[in-house]
Amino acid sequence: MARFDFQRFVDWVDYRIVNRSRRVILVFVVLSLVFGAGLSAVETESGTEQFAEEVPEEEAFSRISEEFSPRFEEPTGSTQLIQHAPNVLTRRELLRMLKAQKRLTDRSDLRVASTASAASVVAQTLDRDADTLDEQITAVEWATESEVAAAVRANANNPRFVGLLGDDFNPTAASSTATIAVVTHSLPKEEATSAGQGGESQLTPVQLKAQRVVATVGGDISVFGTGIIADEFSTVIADSLIIVVPAAVVFIVLFLVVAYRDLVDLLLGTAALGMALVWTFGFLGLAGIPFNQIMIAIPPLLLAVGIDFGIHAVNRYREDRAEGHGVGDAMRLATDQLLVAFFIVTGTTVIGFLSNLVSSLTPIREFGVVAAIGIIFTFLVFGIFLPAAKVEVDRLRQRYPIPTFSQTPLGREGSSLGSALRVGVAPAIRVPAVVLVAALLFSGGAMWYATGVDTEFEQEDFLPPAEAPAYLKALPEPFAPSDYSVVADIEFLEDRFTASQSGVVTIFLEGRMTDGAFLEELDRAEEDPPDTFIVENRRADSTSILTVLRAEAARNDEFAALVARHDSDGDGVPDRDLETVYDALLATESGDRAANYLADDYRSARVDYRVKADADDDAVVADARTVSDRFRTTSTATGTVVVFSAISDLILDSAIQSLALSLAGTGVFLVLVYWWLEGTPSLALANLVPIVVAVTAVAGTMRLVGISFNAFTATVLALTIGLGVDYSVHVVHRFVDERAVNDLQTALDRTVRGTGGALAGSMLTTVFGLGVLVLAVLSVLGQFGLLTAASIVYSFLASLLVLPSALVLWDRFNGNDPLVPLDAPEMDVAPAPVDD
């Protein structure tokens, strides 16, 4: 009954496609206008912050920004001025830096609160009364080179001065090739909290203006900060799209011309592709889902599936037309077979994409939802609209002289392509078990090899490379990418300032900070520091409320006496009535600094630990979590390196979980569908074989070419299942139809020639369409495109080389006679005569 009902539904759709084609076209055009209205509402989101949502380490990091700040002090943001020169400590270079500071300060719209630089330190050494930038510039202008050099040597042991210079600082020669100046800006409270990695920030226009101001002083001084980073996060999306989309269009149109070989069919297929994209991105705007960097991959993915559907629909229709059927009958026969295949492909692909919902990372979940919706839209457009439009056009061709080019199907009998596609048939008939065992051994080896694939999450993944490839630089406007500086500046800072730029990890503590044992616990946590932590006097170099308390007690006798009264064991750490101690500390000159480490309600605190600049990130994270576990109160290790490590772990978890869920979901879906439609659930096993081969081949390729799991490639294995099923389902479903009326070998031969021809056309088109992602400014997007293109090639090859053998074994397992069609009528046997 269920099978009959489904067939009745397909017949209902067929009837409207063939007999109500104009109404169908009108409905789809109206829906396109509705979804098109949502395009203007699409917003973009970029950077690393989007991946940190709902990550405990990031939530702790955000709470630190919100809870620990001076209570009556305006929030600030900072800009770094990075100066390069053969010697930045010469009189001329010092003046350039001071003039840059002065011109920035003079601009009221830049809201400069203060500046600090090595140049200012030298100027104040030359003239102790030079408090303003004008006075500092005058001091350096009136000094000789020898006096400037003497002032530099006088500060050789000044940590504030040395910390602003590169690692190659030579006190004797009074030289260094790099220096940093820090410009502090006053920011409104709401803007300060939003100035993060890639988030919108008031620092972006401030620092973009600062770039133009600093350029007026000459020399080599670059502007760096979170505003510049946020700007490049956003710009790289547009730069990638403006390169990738036109290139994809060129390749796709080129291969569609070869596949369709008819201008009108080409225009119909292109219009259907455009409609699917409009629906998907219109839905994005109407649903209020932001377009993030991962979603750059969605247009090529929808094009891949849409091209496949379009070529199959037109090719199968042409096959039926070539057998003498009229327009309506040919389309009815084609859609009877293809709507079922498209439904199976859509179901399994949607399962593959929706498996990303198990991810703990919001952008990956949103990517899965939008991609799944897009695939459903693609199914509707190419399963209903395109056939209806094709029927309408071909009927017009019968009445009007519309130009018609080639209408022959791909892979027809006697063609070179048809012969090449049959390469998997002969071994499938002769030694199917050998082929299958070899494929499974290959898959096992590839999966074992793939266990060495790394996982990473870095800010640089979302930024353009430090040096754009020559072929991108050679592009004319408007395709030429923007000039980028962030990654080069990050690499320069890491290379030249390692000695002075130690890292910091933070422990976020929650509970009753007024508990008498709390400060004692902070004190004990400094003992026996791990290897990656910087050590001072055999204790971890840390800053906490206890550090501030000790510093105030050392210079404030009245406060020291208060501490002593609340210290029962005389170890210098108060251990009773801590609320009184905190109140007194916050009322001193150290109050603002104390507010950075203790919340107003005394219910949370933070401890900053300095870590070695050259320490391995994984080791730092492990050590931070070890120290965090030392606290009895609720504690969370956080900080940029810890947050990125947590996201990296979640990326790997997402890849594994989505792969497992996608495989299981696809398997169950195929079993149910084949049981429902064909009464043979075992066909699902044959269908899964090429998918397993393709997935393991992609995983092995990742390690072979040195690609890690990252924010972009985490979805590629589940995606391979979704796209791989597209190829295998078409072969299996066509084989079932052919096997019903042909012997085994003829069924396989007609399957790989008919469906294989369409698969070859869609494979070449989508591989090149997706392959253009390697041209994107983002290198990780290029990796994603390479892996996705590889997954399609592997799925195509597995469907033609491995799947025929699996189908032969399935046919034998079911006890079928290879020489007899499955629907052949049984021979009538005359009853033996009976003697009277």
Side-chain angles (χ1 to χ4, degrees):
M1 179 63 70
R3 185 178 178 184
F4 173 78
D5 289 342
F6 183 81
Q7 187 59 52
R8 187 168 62 181
F9 173 74
V10 172
D11 291 341
W12 181 85
V13 175
D14 287 342
Y15 177 82
R16 277 149 184 81
I17 289 174
V18 173
N19 299 301
R20 300 286 187 271
S21 56
R22 292 185 180 179
R23 294 184 184 178
V24 170
I25 294 170
L26 180 61
V27 169
F28 275 77
V29 170
V30 170
L31 288 174
S32 297
L33 293 175
V34 172
F35 283 113
L39 293 176
S40 60
V42 176
E43 297 180 350
T44 60
E45 186 176 53
S46 59
T48 59
E49 277 192 340
Q50 54 187 317
F51 288 89
E53 295 175 6
E54 302 178 26
V55 177
E57 289 81 357
E58 168 61 20
E59 290 177 354
F61 201 36
S62 298
R63 287 188 60 185
I64 287 172
S65 300
E66 296 169 1
E67 297 182 18
F68 306 111
S69 61
R71 291 161 293 177
F72 306 111
E73 193 171 288
E74 189 176 33
T76 60
S78 65
T79 297
Q80 291 78 47
L81 305 181
I82 305 173
Q83 185 178 22
H84 319 71
N87 184 6
V88 296
L89 298 176
T90 63
R91 177 175 171 275
R92 182 177 65 174
E93 296 300 331
L94 292 174
L95 283 172
R96 281 176 172 165
M97 179 59 82
L98 289 170
K99 289 177 180 178
Q101 295 172 239
K102 176 67 168 57
R103 292 178 188 180
L104 291 174
T105 304
D106 288 344
R107 289 282 297 267
S108 60
D109 56 335
L110 299 183
R111 307 172 68 170
V112 176
S114 64
T115 64
S117 69
S120 291
V121 174
V122 171
Q124 290 177 320
T125 302
L126 292 168
D127 180 357
R128 296 187 182 278
D129 296 325
D131 295 325
T132 68
L133 286 168
D134 282 326
E135 292 169 342
Q136 292 169 15
I137 291 172
T138 301
V140 175
E141 285 178 336
W142 284 88
T144 64
E145 286 289 356
S146 60
E147 288 173 334
V148 168
V152 169
R153 295 188 190 97
N155 287 281
N157 296 318
N158 180 352
R160 174 171 166 251
F161 176 75
V162 175
L164 295 170
L165 298 174
D167 294 345
D168 61 353
F169 171 54
N170 185 334
T172 304
S175 67
S176 177
T177 59
T179 183
I180 299 174
V182 179
V183 181
T184 303
H185 309 271
S186 298
L187 296 177
K189 182 74 173 179
E190 61 275 9
E191 296 293 345
T193 57
S194 69
Q197 304 294 349
E200 294 183 2
S201 167
Q202 187 173 334
L203 282 175
T204 297
V206 166
Q207 291 175 352
L208 291 177
K209 292 176 184 175
Q211 284 183 321
R212 295 190 290 271
V213 172
V214 170
T216 63
V217 303
D220 187 356
I221 303 177
S222 58
V223 177
F224 179 77
T226 56
I228 300 294
I229 294 174
D231 178 65
E232 293 198 6
F233 274 140
S234 301
T235 305
V236 75
I237 293 180
D239 282 356
S240 294
L241 285 176
I242 203 170
I243 294 172
V244 167
V245 172
V249 168
V250 169
F251 279 115
I252 287 171
V253 169
L254 175 64
F255 282 99
L256 285 181
V257 168
V258 176
Y260 287 127
R261 290 156 294 141
D262 182 84
L263 178 61
V264 175
D265 288 349
L266 174 63
L267 293 176
L268 288 178
T270 304
L273 289 173
M275 184 178 290
L277 291 175
V278 168
W279 283 29
T280 302
F281 287 97
F283 165 80
L284 207 67
L286 295 175
I289 299 174
F291 182 89
N292 60 53
Q293 284 161 306
I294 297 182
M295 291 185 189
I296 294 174
I298 287 181
L301 292 176
L302 297 185
L303 293 176
V305 177
I307 288 167
D308 175 74
F309 282 4
I311 292 177
H312 272 92
V314 172
N315 202 60
R316 185 57 189 264
Y317 168 77
R318 287 180 179 179
E319 287 184 48
D320 292 325
R321 288 281 283 157
E323 293 178 1
H325 296 286
V327 172
D329 289 340
M331 186 57 73
R332 189 176 292 108
L333 289 170
T335 52
D336 271 347
Q337 195 268 343
L338 288 175
L339 281 177
V340 176
F342 288 175
F343 169 74
I344 298 173
V345 169
T346 300
T348 51
T349 307
V350 166
I351 288 172
F353 286 129
L354 290 183
S355 66
N356 289 299
L357 289 177
V358 300
S359 174
S360 299
L361 302 174
T362 301
I364 292 180
R365 292 200 303 270
E366 291 177 344
F367 169 82
V369 170
V370 175
I373 294 294
I375 293 299
I376 293 172
F377 288 159
T378 302
F379 164 66
L380 295 174
V381 170
F382 283 89
I384 300 176
F385 168 78
L386 180 62
K390 178 65 174 168
V391 167
E392 189 64 28
V393 166
D394 279 6
R395 284 174 175 162
L396 290 173
R397 275 175 164 164
Q398 293 175 341
R399 295 196 295 263
Y400 303 102
I402 298 176
T404 300
F405 300 89
S406 175
Q407 291 290 306
T408 57
L410 289 168
R412 67 187 184 278
E413 181 69 40
S415 67
S416 300
L417 177 60
S419 300
L421 294 171
R422 301 171 60 189
V423 67
V425 174
I429 296 296
R430 293 176 184 147
V431 286
V434 173
V435 174
L436 201 59
V437 169
L440 294 178
L441 287 175
F442 167 80
S443 296
M447 184 54 72
W448 171 83
Y449 181 70
T451 56
V453 177
D454 293 329
T455 306
E456 64 179 25
F457 182 83
E458 298 177 348
Q459 180 174 265
E460 286 84 346
D461 288 344
F462 300 85
L463 293 166
E467 183 70 20
Y471 61 84
L472 290 181
K473 290 182 176 180
L475 292 174
E477 293 294 341
F479 304 105
S482 306
D483 292 327
Y484 295 106
S485 62
V486 167
V487 171
D489 286 340
I490 290 174
E491 292 177 351
F492 182 82
L493 291 173
E494 291 175 347
D495 180 55
R496 298 292 186 89
F497 292 87
T498 55
S500 58
Q501 303 295 316
S502 59
V504 175
V505 294
T506 300
I507 308 298
F508 177 61
L509 304 168
E510 297 177 274
R512 293 180 63 250
M513 305 300 114
T514 55
D515 183 279
F518 171 65
L519 294 180
E520 297 276 6
E521 193 176 357
L522 287 181
D523 185 55
R524 285 193 300 271
E526 296 177 1
E527 299 173 356
D528 190 23
D531 293 339
T532 61
F533 282 35
I534 293 176
V535 178
E536 286 189 355
N537 300 320
R538 299 183 180 180
R539 298 172 68 86
D541 183 1
S542 64
T543 306
S544 65
I545 188 65
L546 181 58
T547 311
V548 180
L549 184 149
R550 284 171 168 163
E552 182 62 26
R555 68 182 186 84
N556 184 333
D557 293 339
E558 182 179 350
F559 181 72
L562 175 69
V563 169
R565 289 196 301 272
H566 292 79
D567 178 12
S568 60
D569 55 9
D571 62 353
V573 180
D575 50 21
R576 58 188 178 85
D577 193 12
L578 294 188
E579 186 170 353
T580 299
V581 177
Y582 295 152
D583 289 343
L585 177 60
L586 291 168
T588 66
E589 292 182 5
S590 301
D592 283 343
R593 187 179 178 214
N596 285 320
Y597 298 95
L598 184 68
D600 291 344
D601 59 1
Y602 304 159
R603 303 288 298 180
S604 59
R606 65 182 282 193
V607 186
D608 292 339
Y609 292 94
R610 291 179 63 212
V611 296
K612 298 173 182 176
D614 58 351
D616 178 72
D617 285 350
D618 291 338
V620 168
V621 172
D623 287 347
R625 289 172 176 162
T626 298
V627 172
S628 176
D629 291 340
R630 294 178 182 179
F631 291 92
R632 290 182 297 172
T633 188
T634 303
S635 60
T636 304
T638 186
T640 301
V641 65
V642 180
V643 170
F644 281 13
S645 175
I647 296 174
S648 179
D649 293 341
L650 290 175
I651 286 174
L652 180 60
D653 291 344
S654 296
I656 295 173
Q657 292 170 5
S658 63
L659 173 62
L661 184 61
S662 183
L663 270 176
T666 298
V668 171
F669 179 80
L670 289 175
V671 168
L672 294 176
V673 166
Y674 283 124
W675 185 18
W676 179 34
L677 297 177
E678 308 294 344
T680 53
S682 56
L683 264 176
L685 296 178
N687 211 324
L688 285 173
V689 170
I691 299 171
V692 171
V693 172
V695 169
T696 54
V698 170
T701 300
M702 290 182 68
R703 181 178 178 184
L704 183 66
V705 299
I707 297 177
S708 302
F709 283 118
N710 54 47
F712 290 83
T713 58
T715 62
V716 78
L717 296 184
L719 185 148
T720 299
I721 295 174
L723 294 179
V725 169
D726 189 2
Y727 288 83
S728 61
V729 162
H730 283 301
V731 173
V732 170
H733 201 265
R734 179 65 178 267
F735 173 78
V736 171
D737 285 352
E738 296 291 349
R739 187 67 179 95
V741 295
N742 294 290
D743 62 79
L744 178 60
Q745 184 167 352
T746 302
L748 276 179
D749 185 75
R750 287 179 60 84
T751 295
V752 298
R753 282 192 297 104
T755 297
L759 289 178
S762 64
M763 181 272 294
L764 289 172
T765 307
T766 51
V767 162
F768 280 90
L770 286 167
V772 299
L773 287 174
V774 301
L775 301 176
V777 180
L778 281 175
S779 60
V780 289
L781 193 58
Q783 294 173 357
F784 178 84
L786 175 64
L787 292 176
T788 307
S791 73
I792 291 173
V793 173
Y794 295 152
S795 298
F796 170 77
L797 293 176
S799 294
L800 291 184
L801 300 179
V802 179
L803 184 54
S805 296
L807 291 173
V808 169
L809 291 176
W810 171 84
D811 195 77
R812 291 180 183 177
F813 175 77
N814 283 276
N816 300 324
D817 186 341
L819 301 178
V820 179
L822 296 185
D823 287 353
E826 295 184 6
M827 297 295 294
D828 292 332
V829 180
V834 179
D835 295 334
D836 292 334

